[in-house]
Amino acid sequence: QQMSGEDEIEFSDKDEPDGDGDGSSDCPTIRVPLTSLKSHQGVVIAADWLVGGKQAVTASWDRTANLYDVETSELVHSLTGHDQELTHCCTHPTQRLVVTSSRDTTFRLWDFRDPSIHSVNVFQGHTE
């Protein structure tokens, strides 16, 4: 069914479950959390896996991004510096690089490729 104006929604084959419709799949489904990663003081708005799958980064409205070791559930590093709430985080598919964006109109590139040194670059230019 199509609606008019802003209420228009497009449906695609991606919205339909794969297979024969019985809900079974060769991929196992995890029904309980494996771990809980805690330390943010605000809403977690985004999360992404770092290359290798042993660490994850989260972005929060508390103005920080956190890097976690998911095997131990420990906080590895808190990425601070944004002046307002974070809006997103994203990791590079093959390098240990993280981008965070914020309502402060900046985005930051965090570099974890050298374990002894991590660097950050701040990019400005957006007005919103």
Side-chain angles (χ1 to χ4, degrees):
Q1 178 180 8
Q2 289 214 348
M3 299 175 212
S4 63
E6 293 180 12
D7 295 330
E8 187 173 320
I9 300 172
E10 259 186 56
F11 293 97
S12 71
D13 293 338
K14 293 180 184 176
D15 297 326
E16 297 298 320
D18 293 334
D20 56 6
D22 66 359
S24 66
S25 173
D26 292 336
C27 183
T29 301
I30 299 172
R31 303 205 184 276
V32 295
L34 296 176
T35 188
S36 180
L37 306 174
K38 299 178 181 179
S39 69
H40 281 294
Q41 301 300 312
V43 172
V44 174
I45 194 71
D48 202 2
W49 292 99
L50 259 72
V51 63
K54 294 183 179 184
Q55 291 181 324
V57 64
T58 57
S60 173
W61 286 356
D62 65 10
R63 301 179 308 186
T64 66
N66 287 338
L67 179 64
Y68 294 95
D69 181 316
V70 294
E71 293 179 343
T72 64
S73 302
E74 296 203 13
L75 176 65
V76 174
H77 202 327
S78 185
L79 311 177
T80 61
H82 283 291
D83 294 329
Q84 292 186 27
E85 296 90 349
L86 272 63
T87 56
H88 198 66
C89 67
C90 188
T91 61
H92 190 278
T94 60
Q95 299 290 324
R96 293 180 49 79
L97 300 169
V98 175
V99 172
T100 56
S101 60
S102 169
R103 292 188 66 208
D104 65 11
T105 71
T106 68
F107 67 95
R108 293 172 182 249
L109 175 64
W110 309 84
D111 187 345
F112 294 99
R113 291 176 293 185
D114 183 344
S116 63
I117 302 170
H118 98 270
S119 62
V120 61
N121 292 307
V122 180
F123 297 88
Q124 298 178 337
H126 289 285
T127 57
E128 298 201 16

